[in-house]
């Protein structure tokens, strides 16, 4: 049975499931080069079929995530196209007159002529752009989405199922893992089909919704503060999280009370304690005399405390100590780490790319679950977990031919069939190396196949990579890949959390403080580590193993292979673009490398 999962909202993606196993998954942004791209992920879909060596005619079912997409935002590709100025314009010219002056404002007209916007041209938007949030219009638009998918794939509409947004999140968070346990499933995000926060239970693979609310504004508050601090909502929340540890307690206390007055835990839901007329303008006024780091620090504490209290309440009411957590808020790794330290909790499962990126995979899992119910198939035997995320695009060009065709060998030192020992030696000598190897990773994190690698022992490598390659904010930490056999030297993991995919943060030990100076947070010494086993990625594992033989350190600094503001490099062309426009010393193109003279 072949199921195609599609997510066509922001961070659009596609996934292909064959007989209960996810065999391919891609994000549209990697092909379009528009970070966070929206719309029908045509290129991602095509590549999934290419990787699986299947054709559209082989599809048995299509599972489409989300029933209520906002056509105005999709046409504008808002989250992908908006600058900070555009986000401010939205607040000042749309929400302010709508909420405070009760005026009618046409959102589409405000932004339709914005320069440099790459608008969606695939779906039919006739007559559906007049209103910002209208469920009748969104229902009409859903039918058009289904029609477009039917025509694109050349399949009958009866093969296409539409799934609730939140359900895709929770089925993904459960079926992703191989050690599935009965538990509580939490979702928390900006907006779904029926909630911004939900609580469900799973018992013997059967799911039951227990509570949901549209007042769980943890995500919205984090988004608005990100904007008030001069950064892009829905993209740069991780920067606010990275800044938070630098704040002093005095500055945090000045802001924390304001945050804590807004929300409260009411049984299974997070709801308003005090409801401002508008969250953005409320915080803008309240924090006008506060420092930026204090605001960031207090925001992170506010999120951690509320998440932990919510978990406590759910455990007490539902009598289960296993938590599955998904939705955009689950991508806050520090909050996840804080929650994992809760003594009332037994297990916490947070899958990688827990936000909307993974809805396509969740849609596959959800439909497979429904089909198993109908056909009385054992779900545990049929629905497979995901053991690695190397599910995306693979270069099918010969790297040597690519290099010679583009005459790159004339400008750079070229070598074919290098050894992992050679790579490790260059890393130990302080060189920064970009690696484009095999299938690319699905999700938000580079896991070695589309990574920039560097010696983690040298603190100065933080500024070198920030200034010369990534061109990103000075306060942001880098991350390590650690050999599984050496994990206990570097990190503390009392609950044995899944560290394969950089979806969790960990406290680190003194050995890491000394030997991972460039790959842990400079201030609080935490690490968003990738714990690597040999059978997860043999070649990458061997590079780190050889580096350990030279240096005694079984870890590398690992950050995504991209320039700031661009998606992770997909192919040789993207990789060479990064190489030419940065101070990377070496790039590995599968079995060949180029080195600057």
């Amino acid at each position: 049975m072949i199921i195609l999962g599609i997510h066509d909202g922001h961070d659009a993606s596609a996934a292909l499931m064959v007989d209960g196993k996810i065999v391919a998954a891609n994000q549209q942004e990697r092909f379009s080069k528009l970070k966070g791209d929206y719309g029908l992920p045509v290129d991602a879909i095509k590549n999934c079929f290419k990787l699986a060596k299947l054709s559209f005619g082989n599809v048995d079912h299509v599972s489409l995530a989300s029933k209520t997409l906002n056509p105005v935002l999709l046409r504008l590709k808002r989250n992908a196209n908006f600058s900070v100025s555009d986000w401010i314009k939205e607040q000042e010219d749309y929400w302010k007159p709508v909420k405070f002056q009760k005026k009618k404002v046409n959102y589409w007209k405000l932004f339709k002529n914005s320069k440099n916007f790459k608008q969606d041209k695939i779906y039919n938007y006739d007559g559906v752009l007049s209103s910002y949030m209208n469920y009748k219009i969104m229902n009409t638009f859903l039918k058009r989405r289904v029609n477009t998918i039917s025509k694109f794939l050349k399949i009958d509409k009866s093969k296409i199922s539409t799934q609730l947004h939140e359900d895709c999140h929770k089925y993904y968070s459960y079926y992703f893992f191989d050690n599935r346990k009965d538990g509580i499933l939490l979702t928390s995000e900006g907006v779904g089909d029926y909630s911004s926060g939900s609580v469900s239970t799973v018992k013997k693979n059967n799911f039951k919704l227990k509570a949901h609310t549209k007042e769980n504004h943890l995500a919205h508050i984090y988004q608005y503060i990100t904007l008030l601090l001069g950064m892009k909502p829905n993209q740069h929340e991780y920067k606010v999280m990275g800044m938070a540890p630098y704040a002093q307690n005095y500055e945090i206390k000045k802001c924390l009370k304001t945050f804590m007055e807004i929300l409260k835990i009411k049984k299974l839901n997070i709801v308003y304690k005090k409801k401002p007329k508008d969250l953005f303008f409320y915080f803008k006024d309240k924090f006008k005399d506060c420092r930026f780091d204090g605001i960031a620090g207090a925001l992170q504490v506010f999120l951690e405390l509320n998440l932990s209290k919510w978990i406590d309440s759910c455990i007490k009411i539902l009598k289960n100590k296993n938590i599955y957590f998904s939705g955009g808020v689950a991508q806050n790794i520090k909050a996840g780490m804080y929650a994992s330290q809760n003594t009332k909790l037994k297990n916490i499962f947070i899958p990688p790319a827990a936000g909307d990126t993974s809805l396509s995979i969740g849609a596959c899992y959800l439909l497979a679950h429904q089909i198993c119910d109908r056909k009385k198939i054992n779900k545990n035997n049929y629905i497979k977990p995901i053991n690695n995320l190397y599910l995306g695009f693979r270069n099918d060009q010969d790297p040597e031919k690519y290099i010679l065709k583009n005459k790159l060998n004339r400008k750079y030192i070229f070598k074919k069939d290098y050894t992992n020992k050679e790579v490790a030696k260059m890393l130990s000598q302080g060189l920064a190396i970009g690696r484009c190897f095999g299938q690319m990773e699905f999700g938000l994190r580079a896991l070695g196949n589309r990574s920039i690698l560097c010696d983690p022992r040298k603190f100065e490598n933080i500024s070198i990579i920030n200034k010369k390659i990534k061109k990103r904010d000075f306060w942001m930490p880098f991350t390590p890949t650690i050999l599984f056999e050496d994990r206990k030297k570097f990190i503390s993991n009392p609950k044995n959390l899944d560290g394969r995919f950089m979806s969790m943060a960990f406290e680190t030990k003194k050995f890491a403080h000394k030997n991972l100076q460039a790959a842990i947070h400079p201030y609080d010494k935490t690490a968003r580590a990738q714990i690597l086993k040999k059978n997860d990625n043999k070649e990458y594992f061997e590079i780190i193993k050889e580096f350990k033989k030279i240096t005694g350190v079984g870890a590398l600094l690992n950050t995504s292979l991209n320039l700031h503001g661009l998606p992770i490099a997909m192919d040789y062309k993207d990789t060479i673009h990064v190489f030419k426009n940065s101070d990377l010393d070496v790039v590995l193109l599968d079995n060949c490398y180029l080195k600057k003279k």
Side-chain angles (χ1 to χ4, degrees), residues 135 190 192-197 212-217 220 270 272:
Y135 285 96
D193 277 329
Y194 58 85
S195 74
S196 56
H212 61 90
T213 179
K214 291 186 177 181
E215 293 187 14
N216 180 339
H217 288 294
H220 280 138
I270 296 178
Y272 275 121

Side-chain angles (χ1 to χ4, degrees), residues 291-308:
R291 278 172 55 100
F292 64 94
D293 53 345
I295 297 170
L299 174 65
Q300 185 64 28
V301 172
F302 159 76
L303 176 63
E304 291 170 0
L305 290 175
N306 275 280
L307 180 59
S308 192

Side-chain angles (χ1 to χ4, degrees), residues 73-201:
L73 302 188
L74 203 156
R75 176 65 187 267
L76 291 169
K77 298 180 184 256
R78 181 184 68 170
N79 295 11
N81 279 320
F82 268 28
S83 65
V84 171
S85 296
D86 293 317
W87 284 106
I88 294 294
K89 178 182 172 70
E90 180 188 85
Q91 294 297 327
E92 294 287 348
D93 295 351
Y94 182 78
W95 291 114
K96 193 173 187 178
V98 166
K99 288 190 176 183
F100 292 93
Q101 298 159 15
K102 303 300 180 185
K103 289 184 178 179
K104 287 187 177 181
V105 182
N106 189 306
Y107 190 95
W108 165 243
K109 287 182 179 179
L110 272 180
F111 294 104
K112 68 176 183 177
N113 296 319
S114 298
K115 293 180 180 179
N116 304 319
F117 274 24
K118 297 177 181 177
Q119 294 185 12
D120 184 62
K121 301 292 176 63
I122 295 176
Y123 288 133
N124 175 7
Y125 293 94
D126 291 345
V128 297
L129 299 176
S130 59
S131 176
Y132 181 80
M133 282 291 278
N134 181 300
Y135 285 96
K136 186 177 180 180
I137 285 176
M138 287 192 280
N139 189 50
T140 298
F141 188 57
L142 175 61
K143 293 173 184 175
R144 293 184 186 180
R145 290 161 62 203
V146 170
N147 286 338
T148 302
I149 292 166
S150 171
K151 290 176 183 176
F152 168 64
L153 296 173
K154 296 178 181 176
I155 62 171
D156 193 270
K157 286 187 287 186
S158 63
K159 288 188 173 184
I160 303 172
S161 304
T162 59
Q163 313 295 353
L164 288 166
H165 184 105
E166 294 88 336
D167 291 354
C168 293
H169 278 316
K170 64 191 182 187
Y171 280 73
Y172 170 66
S173 72
Y174 177 72
Y175 280 117
F176 180 91
F177 296 100
D178 56 2
N179 55 340
R180 300 162 191 159
K181 302 176 185 297
D182 292 349
I184 301 167
L185 303 112
L186 306 180
T187 67
S188 182
E189 58 189 326
V191 62
D193 277 329
Y194 58 85
S195 74
S196 56
S198 73
V199 180
S200 303
T201 55

Side-chain angles (χ1 to χ4, degrees), residues 282-300:
Y282 178 79
F283 289 124
K284 183 180 180 182
D285 177 65
K286 287 288 185 179
F287 293 146
K288 57 191 174 188
D289 61 346
C290 294
R291 278 172 55 100
F292 64 94
D293 53 345
I295 297 170
L299 174 65
Q300 185 64 28

